[in-house]
Amino acid sequence: MPLICLVRHGQASSEAKDYDVLSGSGRAQAAAVGRELARRGLRDPHLVAGTLTRQRDTARIAAEAAGFRGALHQDARWNEYDHLALLDRYAPPPIGERSVQDLLDHALAAWMKDPDPAGGEVWPVFAEGARAALAELPAALGRGRDAVVFTSAGPLAAVCGALLALPDEGVVALNRVTVNASVTTLAVGGSGTTLLTFNEHAHLAGDRRRLVTYR
């Protein structure tokens, strides 16, 4: 039974000019998740990443740490939504101690309900892109091969929400708690794809717990 590991990218550089670059912690997270993937003994893993820099660099660092030698395939359907655009469009003005995460939750929920987001992409199209990318993966695996996909919290939440038949509120909740460099594991069987685990990050526990980040 093929396994598909969905890995969230390492922490981006929120304080830098270019957000789409791994921070120092993000690079350490990527190496840690690579070692975890090696420990799992994945079978000749088919490697896929979105086209964002933080996703591709996480894949590169993790693959090196894991000793994976296969080519890295890129698929833009695993890219993240533009969170800054969502905040500009939907988030209310900050009130008191309201966190950026609270504002993003509000913006994401509003986007999901908006049938015409000022010319931007609608949520159903974004979510369907991730689901379609997942649906096509098993054909690339054949028998006795696994896959690792380096993606972001949005596609992860969209895919897992669909597998669990969650309402929009549940998808927002999944998006909120997804840890950087966490692993979500799916199994591909004759009856379809099943969610086995979500948001595993024990490889960031103990003396590495300082590496647990959410944004």
Side-chain angles (χ1 to χ4, degrees):
M1 179 181 293
L3 297 178
I4 299 174
C5 294
L6 304 178
V7 177
R8 189 186 177 197
H9 62 76
Q11 184 187 55
S13 298
S14 59
E15 303 301 322
K17 285 186 177 180
D18 185 359
Y19 174 83
D20 191 24
V21 173
L22 292 180
S23 67
S25 292
R27 291 190 292 274
Q29 291 164 341
V33 76
R35 293 189 291 270
E36 168 62 17
L37 293 170
R39 185 192 67 80
R40 296 183 180 209
L42 299 175
R43 301 163 298 176
D44 185 23
H46 177 73
L47 306 178
V48 182
T51 64
L52 300 177
T53 300
R54 60 190 184 273
Q55 296 170 334
R56 292 185 286 109
D57 284 353
T58 298
R60 176 182 56 79
I61 295 169
E64 182 176 352
F68 296 153
R69 298 290 179 255
L72 178 64
H73 306 271
Q74 296 184 48
D75 187 339
R77 293 175 296 180
W78 290 110
N79 287 2
E80 184 63 291
Y81 52 76
D82 186 341
H83 73 287
L84 295 177
L86 291 191
L87 289 171
D88 285 343
R89 187 178 301 137
Y90 299 112
I95 300 173
E97 296 300 316
R98 195 167 188 181
S99 69
V100 172
Q101 183 59 60
D102 287 339
L103 295 174
L104 181 58
D105 289 349
H106 176 93
L108 183 57
W111 179 37
M112 289 176 170
K113 294 177 173 60
D114 190 347
D116 184 20
E121 184 178 44
V122 295
W123 165 259
V125 171
F126 171 85
E128 178 54 34
R131 293 194 294 265
L134 175 64
E136 293 171 16
L137 262 183
L141 302 182
R143 299 185 63 180
R145 194 177 187 196
D146 300 315
V148 183
V149 178
F150 297 89
T151 183
S152 297
L156 265 166
V159 164
C160 293
L163 291 173
L164 297 174
L166 296 179
D168 289 348
E169 293 78 6
V171 176
V172 173
L174 293 180
N175 182 83
R176 181 186 183 97
V177 300
T178 306
V179 172
N180 290 113
S182 61
V183 182
T184 291
T185 307
L186 314 177
V188 181
S191 60
T193 300
T194 304
L195 177 64
L196 293 182
T197 67
F198 171 73
N199 201 31
E200 298 173 87
H201 54 280
H203 50 285
L204 303 179
D207 60 357
R208 293 185 297 274
R209 61 181 174 272
R210 62 182 174 78
L211 293 176
V212 175
T213 59
Y214 297 87
R215 293 290 168 260

